């Protein structure tokens, strides 16, 4: 038995696991790129358990890594010889305030459970990610982008208040504008670097019972973008979602080898919510838009709309690709360079890359977010783009250079990477990613996690005293 086990176990109401009790899930994340073995997995049952775990780790000089549903892909949500804090055990929905439209949740609550908990009140968090099987703490720590982000920003922008445990084991209640706002904004999109969120208060909105979705199709990225500007400025739309879809054409030489290529199309799903008996006026909504085709109109209960991706993820699981390596390359592009970048990448992209994945295309409004650490280019309109493949282990090294090139090219064209995917930055690239926020982030790290205890191995933040508290 590990010599520290009895002391740790005795301090906590929650569960402590040692390596002989781990399952393969404890050793990796959705990326399946890194396989690390923690010394302990702790499933806290309360805020106090998190405090005790941090204090114990400080005393015994152990690192602490936090995980939600471990749907990130690089060195996140895993631990190499330290304590892995599995927050999914803190899964209680707490107080609902129908007057102020807020709900308090423990950080390990899974979004899908929250959506079902709130549906009887016709309330929903303002922004939902496509994948509802992840935790509130996990996406708030990343950013959390969804089909309503063009209106409401990231999920982190819709947090009203949080209880956090700092790397020193102190409890702080913080909000976006209060005296502890620096701590708040370094936890939002902060990858668990400075503190662990235990209670999160989320802003909600009322939803209407039905949705109507127009399945438009574009064959030209420029026309898609022109219409996107109109759509994002039109307050009648509630949700917008799009992809890049290949129509395979045959094979052609790419880098000296013949490989499949495609003509790319851009499906665009535009959704409005409505009350029973008051369906939207289709012609008025679509007036002025210029799609290549208008394929289909779908009326769905709004609650099913929120869960629309579940059948897709089920398909990926059934096909076995859920277990493959997921080195997702996602980025947020400036409007000005987006079309050139997307055309350059798609022209040689093999449609085979889409088995068990897809190519994301996501018009967004940069001005809807106040998040300091969700890095995005300047500008009002932005485009999210992502190559989301599922790759059998034996092809990983073959595919990797293509993803590295796509990553370097987008950064050269002014994009910022979304950090939940496959990231292989040098120190300089990390600094460039955070730009003028780097020193502020490092200062927060030094101030609230001076021993560098939390989530080592991904962002190489220095904890040098000369950056302390700046910003
Ligand atoms: C199929 C799929 C679909 C996706 N769709 C979207 C999407 O639509 N939009 C989007 O934005 N992202 C999307 N993602 C990315 C995903 O939302 C992020 O990776 C998110 O961080 C996952 O949440 P999680 O609960 O799994 O967190 P984890 O991956 O477990 O952790 C993520 C980070 O948060 C930290 N963390 C976790 N809990 C806490 C806490 N309580 N306090 C402090 N830090 C904490 C961890 O240390 C880690 O740094 C998708 C991923 C997959 C696999």
């Amino acid at each position: 038995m590990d010599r520290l086990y009895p002391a740790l176990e005795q301090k906590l109401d929650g569960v402590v696991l040692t390596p002989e009790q781990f399952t393969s899930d404890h050793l990796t994340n959705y990326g399946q790129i890194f396989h690390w073995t923690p010394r302990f997995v702790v499933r806290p049952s309360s805020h106090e358990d998190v405090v005790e775990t941090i204090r114990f780790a400080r005393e015994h000089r152990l690192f602490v890594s936090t995980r939600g549903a471990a749907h990130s892909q690089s060195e996140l949500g895993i631990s190499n010889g330290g304590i892995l804090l599995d927050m999914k055990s803190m899964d209680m929905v707490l107080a609902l305030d129908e007057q102020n439209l807020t709900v308090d949740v423990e950080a390990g609550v899974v979004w899908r459970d929250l959506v079902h908990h709130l549906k009887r009140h016709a309330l929903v968090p303002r922004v939902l990610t496509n994948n509802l099987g992840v935790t509130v703490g996990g996406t708030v720590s990343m950013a959390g982008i969804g089909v309503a982000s063009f209106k409401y920003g990231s999920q982190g922008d819709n947090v009203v208040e949080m209880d956090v445990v700092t790397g020193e084991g102190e409890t702080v209640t913080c909000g976006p504008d209060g005296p502890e706002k620096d701590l708040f904004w370094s936890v939002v999109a902060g990858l668990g670097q400075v503190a662990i969120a235990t209670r999160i208060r989320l802003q909600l909105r009322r939803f209407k019972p039905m949705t109507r979705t127009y399945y438009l199709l574009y064959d030209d990225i420029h026309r898609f973008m022109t219409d996107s500007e109109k759509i994002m400025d039109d307050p009648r739309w509630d949700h917008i979602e799009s992809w890049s879809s290949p129509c395979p054409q045959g094979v052609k030489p790419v880098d000296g080898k013949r490989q499949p290529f495609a003509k790319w199309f851009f499906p665009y799903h535009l959704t409005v919510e409505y009350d029973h008996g008051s369906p939207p006026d289709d012609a008025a909504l679509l007036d002025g838009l210029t799609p290549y085709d208008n394929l289909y109109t779908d009326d769905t209960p709004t609650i099913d709309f929120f869960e629309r991706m579940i059948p897709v993820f089920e398909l990926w699981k059934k096909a076995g690709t859920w277990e493959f390596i997921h080195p997702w390359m996602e980025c947020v592009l400036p409007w000005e360079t987006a079309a050139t970048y997307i055309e350059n990448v798609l022209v040689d992209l093999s449609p085979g890359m889409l088995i068990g994945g897809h190519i994301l295309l996501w018009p967004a409004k940069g001005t809807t977010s106040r998040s300091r650490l969700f890095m995005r280019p300047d500008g009002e309109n932005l485009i999210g783009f992502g190559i989301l493949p599922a790759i059998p282990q034996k092809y990983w090294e073959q595919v990797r250079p293509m993803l590295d090139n796509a990553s370097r090219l987008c950064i050269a064209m002014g994009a910022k990477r979304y950090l939940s995917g496959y990231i292989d930055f040098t120190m300089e690239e990390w600094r460039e990613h955070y730009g003028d926020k780097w020193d502020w982030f490092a200062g927060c790290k030094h101030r609230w996690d001076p021993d560098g205890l939390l989530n080592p191995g991904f962002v190489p933040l220095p904890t040098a005293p000369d950056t302390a508290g700046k910003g």
Side-chain angles (χ1 to χ4, degrees):
M1 182 196 289
D2 191 302
R3 68 183 170 81
L4 292 180
Y5 173 80
L8 178 59
E9 207 266 340
Q10 200 221 338
K11 281 187 185 298
L12 308 179
D13 290 331
V15 174
V16 181
L17 303 178
T18 47
E20 62 279 9
Q21 296 160 312
F22 297 165
T23 64
S24 55
D25 286 351
H26 294 123
L27 312 184
T28 189
N29 53 25
Y30 185 74
Q32 303 267 356
I33 302 168
F34 296 92
H35 293 81
W36 289 356
T37 305
R39 184 160 170 182
F40 300 108
V41 171
V42 168
R43 290 198 194 125
S45 67
S46 64
H47 173 91
E48 287 67 35
D49 271 1
V50 176
V51 172
E52 287 303 328
T53 303
I54 296 293
R55 291 189 177 157
F56 184 88
R58 283 197 93 194
E59 187 186 335
H60 296 281
R61 307 184 71 77
L62 294 170
F63 291 121
V64 179
S65 297
T66 330
R67 69 156 45 177
H71 274 64
S72 302
Q73 297 163 25
S74 294
E75 301 97 328
L76 294 173
I78 49 178
S79 163
N80 200 0
I83 296 177
L84 183 61
L85 201 56
D86 181 356
M87 295 299 289
K88 271 178 92 176
S89 53
M90 288 184 61
D91 60 355
M92 286 201 341
V93 178
L94 306 168
L96 171 65
D97 180 344
E98 286 206 67
Q99 197 109 46
N100 292 309
L101 298 186
T102 62
V103 67
D104 286 19
V105 297
E106 288 189 321
V109 162
V110 169
W111 287 99
R112 190 179 185 196
D113 295 340
L114 181 59
V115 166
H116 282 281
H117 182 93
L118 294 170
K119 69 183 176 192
R120 74 191 106 121
H121 306 280
L123 292 171
V124 68
R126 278 177 169 175
V127 179
L128 295 174
T129 51
N130 284 353
N131 179 8
L132 294 183
V134 288
T135 66
V136 175
T139 57
V140 163
S141 303
M142 189 59 66
I145 308 299
V147 292
S149 285
F150 76 104
K151 282 190 155 174
Y152 299 114
S154 68
Q155 289 178 328
D157 288 295
N158 292 285
V159 175
V160 179
E161 185 182 276
M162 275 190 281
D163 289 339
V164 304
V165 181
T166 69
E168 284 186 296
E170 299 301 323
T171 297
V172 183
T173 299
C174 53
D177 299 304
E180 297 291 354
K181 61 177 184 292
D182 277 351
L183 179 56
F184 177 90
W185 288 115
S186 60
V187 174
V188 168
L191 304 167
Q193 281 294 320
V194 302
I196 298 164
T198 54
R199 178 188 62 90
I200 298 179
R201 179 171 296 168
L202 294 165
Q203 192 68 59
L204 306 174
R205 68 172 181 88
R206 295 200 185 281
F207 68 86
K208 295 179 181 168
M210 290 296 293
T211 57
R212 177 164 293 182
T213 300
Y214 302 92
Y215 285 59
L216 308 185
L217 185 68
Y218 287 76
D219 63 341
D220 175 74
I221 189 73
H222 299 276
R223 199 134 39 87
F224 169 88
M225 288 177 66
T226 304
D227 278 5
S228 291
E229 288 181 288
K230 294 179 207 158
I231 291 160
M232 287 196 291
D233 286 335
D234 182 343
R236 292 174 300 177
W237 296 113
D238 292 309
H239 311 278
I240 63 173
E241 185 166 30
S242 52
W243 296 271
S244 311
S245 279
C247 177
Q249 299 297 309
V251 290
K252 69 172 187 182
V254 177
D255 294 333
K257 267 175 76 179
R258 291 186 82 78
Q259 72 166 43
F261 75 104
K263 156 81 184 160
W264 290 85
F265 289 88
F266 308 102
Y268 210 164
H269 296 182
L270 306 179
T271 301
V272 282
E273 294 179 8
Y274 66 94
D275 288 313
H276 292 291
S278 310
D281 178 344
D282 301 344
L285 276 168
L286 299 177
D287 185 39
L289 301 183
T290 56
Y292 162 79
D293 208 345
N294 179 351
L295 296 170
Y296 170 60
T297 300
D298 192 43
D299 288 298
T300 311
T302 305
I303 193 73
D304 294 343
F305 173 82
F306 295 146
E307 297 197 303
R308 70 201 172 285
M309 291 302 284
I310 286 176
V312 177
F313 298 146
E314 283 306 314
L315 201 65
W316 292 358
K317 284 177 189 163
K318 278 186 198 148
T321 58
W322 200 258
E323 309 307 325
F324 288 0
I325 291 187
H326 295 102
W328 289 5
M329 200 303 297
E330 296 154 289
C331 63
V332 187
L333 287 152
W335 199 255
E336 298 70 30
T337 59
T340 310
Y341 175 78
I342 292 165
E343 283 175 334
N344 260 289
V345 169
L346 292 184
V347 71
D348 287 339
L349 193 72
S350 168
M353 289 287 283
L354 293 193
I355 297 164
H358 54 212
I359 305 289
L360 209 73
L361 185 67
W362 212 325
K365 285 257 174 222
T367 42
T368 54
S369 180
R370 293 171 68 194
S371 176
R372 296 187 195 173
L373 294 177
F374 164 40
M375 302 312 298
R376 56 215 183 266
D378 292 336
E380 184 180 351
N381 292 332
L382 306 170
I383 289 216
F385 178 80
I387 306 170
L388 316 184
I391 298 174
Q393 178 78 44
K394 62 181 174 181
Y395 296 125
W396 170 217
E397 287 307 327
Q398 201 177 316
V399 174
R400 191 177 184 146
M402 188 280 283
L403 294 168
D404 287 337
N405 285 341
S407 175
R408 267 185 239 114
L409 180 63
C410 77
I411 292 168
M413 294 179 81
K416 294 289 182 188
R417 290 290 313 277
Y418 193 57
L419 298 180
S420 68
Y422 158 60
I423 303 289
D424 190 20
F425 284 170
T426 61
M427 185 68 181
E428 272 324 294
E429 287 166 334
W430 276 113
R431 281 180 164 275
E432 190 187 338
H433 175 79
Y434 282 106
D436 61 6
K437 299 292 188 322
W438 177 259
D439 285 348
W440 177 78
F441 197 12
C444 293
K445 177 81 174 166
H446 178 73
R447 183 164 160 199
W448 286 294
D449 180 25
D451 300 338
L453 210 74
L454 298 178
N455 290 295
F458 187 53
V459 192
L461 279 175
T463 51
D466 64 331
T467 54
K470 280 188 186 165

